[in-house]
Amino acid sequence: MAIRWGNYRVKGLHDELIQTAGKPRPYAQDLCDYLKGLSDKDVNELKAAAESAIHVMGITFRVYTEEEGSIDRAWPFDIVPRLIDKSEWIEIERGLKQRIKALNMFIDDLYNDQKIIKDGVFPASMLKKSKNFLEECRGFSPAHGVWAHICGSDLVRDNKGKVYVLEDNLRVPSGVSYMLENRHVMKRVFPEMFEKYSIMPVDDYPSQLYDMLAEISPRKIEEPEIVVLTPGIYNSAYFEHAYLAQQMGAELVIGSDLVVEDDDCVYMRTINGLSRVDVIYRRVDDWFIDPEVFEPDSLLGVPGIIRAWKAGNVALANAPGSGVADDKVVYAYVPKIIQYYLGEEAILPNVPTYKCNNKEEREYVLENIADMVVKPANESGGYGMLMGPHASASEHEKFRKLIIQDPRNYVAQPMLTLSTAPTMVGTKVEPRHLDLRPFILSGKEVNVTMGGLTRVALVKGSMVVNSSQGGGSKDTWIVDMEGDQ
């Protein structure tokens, strides 16, 4: 047999599917029994079927290397799904809804009355040095007070199984197309399991996204014109931009396809002339979205788009300036933010975080840097980080100097031992560390995907799950055990 669960070792780790050596968690029993019955030949055929489906569907991501420049690679995918019991997911969903509601209230407050600063809950110095606070957005409030319409919060478990929010992605979060395509692949590879389990669907995401975008349209018409604004084919997430536009029946556009006229409305250039645009799901960073306001040399954005947005003639999702809350220093304040705006304790805890701009916390970090993960405030994709336990003494010293030079730009966290899940290595299964990125849509209501994008570190022992740095992904099944037959 290819897979012997008795040989699968998870000592000292929390595994998503296996409780102790050879004993699956109750909701994973049927899947583990099925996998146990596969021969090496069966496993290779299933992997080949998954790779073929990925190739046929054209699922790629773009990476940048010094040697090869930008290249497209097939999406790295593991055929063993990650399972979560629906009863546990309901509580996670509650926590995510609470979190995004408070964060949107926080952003709206910062751009208007700044009550949280006046009340001494959030330091004015933090805002003053924020790279993502845009003065150009002051005095404005989007529809429903929602700035971050699409959020991707990264969740992790520690070695005791406790779920933490690792970070919030509120600017232009990516990955949802891979969540959707992972499900399509799994339905082809494991159709038997979809008959065996009650697996909560994720394929309604594009229609939920469309409905949310339509309801923030400034023109209350039956079919508002929605477009997806992409930086173009060389962007690492271009596959996703094209995929979501196609799934929603929206136009995929680049900056030069749009123009702002004298009436401060946005129009799309078509073969039949100009057509007014109501909602722009933009995948272009703030700094490049409007050369009139931000980077004057940008060719990715649309001159005048901020003017049209502030005039209330077009909706932008996510709203410019929402990145003020997508800051790893702000992250440290989220439990206080939830308490301040909602009068509630955070349902989902943060990872303990040390703010390097605080003298006592900074000294602790500098003394214990070999045991810490140090993160810059506004980087993403795993770049610019120090993984203390895996770094050299010279790297520790380099980051001490960086912290001392610019303490506001760094936070540090103890290194969590992330949970694992069985992952195919050849025809065997071995534990690999993973995280989870659910996607939260905020309009009049808040909707959370039933699961999300599980990213897995394919390198043994590694905690780095980003696809750009050697990670892969799994399908995520929220299983309704009470609904199973």
Side-chain angles (χ1 to χ4, degrees), residues 1-10 15 17-18 22 24 31-40 43 46-47 78-81 190 420-432 458 460 474:
M1 295 294 180
I3 298 170
R4 298 182 183 278
W5 293 112
N7 297 332
Y8 183 84
R9 294 285 178 254
V10 293
D15 195 86
L17 300 189
I18 306 297
L31 173 67
C32 291
D33 288 347
Y34 176 79
L35 294 173
K36 187 177 178 181
L38 299 175
S39 66
D40 287 356
V43 170
L46 289 170
K47 289 171 72 174
D78 181 63
I79 64 170
V80 182
F190 284 157
T420 60
T423 302
M424 280 291 175
V425 180
T427 56
K428 312 298 181 188
V429 288
E430 294 182 8
R432 293 290 186 269
L458 298 177
K460 187 174 183 178
K474 294 171 170 284

Side-chain angles (χ1 to χ4, degrees), residues 141-207:
S141 186
H144 317 302
V146 173
W147 292 74
H149 305 88
I150 303 103
C151 173
S153 291
D154 292 340
L155 306 180
V156 295
R157 287 190 203 270
D158 65 7
N159 56 0
K160 296 180 181 177
K162 188 176 181 65
V163 174
Y164 292 88
V165 179
L166 187 63
E167 63 181 50
D168 303 291
N169 297 282
L170 302 164
R171 281 174 283 186
V172 281
S174 64
V176 74
S177 62
Y178 299 113
M179 174 194 80
L180 298 169
E181 292 288 38
N182 284 351
R183 180 59 54 86
H184 291 320
V185 172
M186 287 302 287
K187 284 181 175 178
R188 293 189 184 194
V189 174
F190 284 157
E192 305 94 333
M193 289 294 99
F194 284 85
E195 294 177 5
K196 195 83 174 174
Y197 281 105
S198 292
I199 302 168
M200 298 295 99
V202 294
D203 46 14
D204 55 351
Y205 178 86
S207 62

Side-chain angles (χ1 to χ4, degrees), residues 41-77:
K41 183 184 177 200
D42 293 331
V43 170
N44 284 326
E45 287 178 351
L46 289 170
K47 289 171 72 174
E51 288 169 9
S52 174
I54 288 168
H55 177 73
V56 168
M57 289 189 278
I59 310 173
T60 63
F61 73 105
R62 182 152 291 180
V63 294
Y64 302 90
T65 65
E66 289 184 9
E67 302 81 22
E68 301 172 89
S70 90
I71 53 174
D72 286 329
R73 289 184 179 167
W75 182 241
F77 179 73

Side-chain angles (χ1 to χ4, degrees), residues 41 213 215 257 350 377:
K41 183 184 177 200
L213 294 172
E215 73 184 27
D257 293 326
N350 275 14

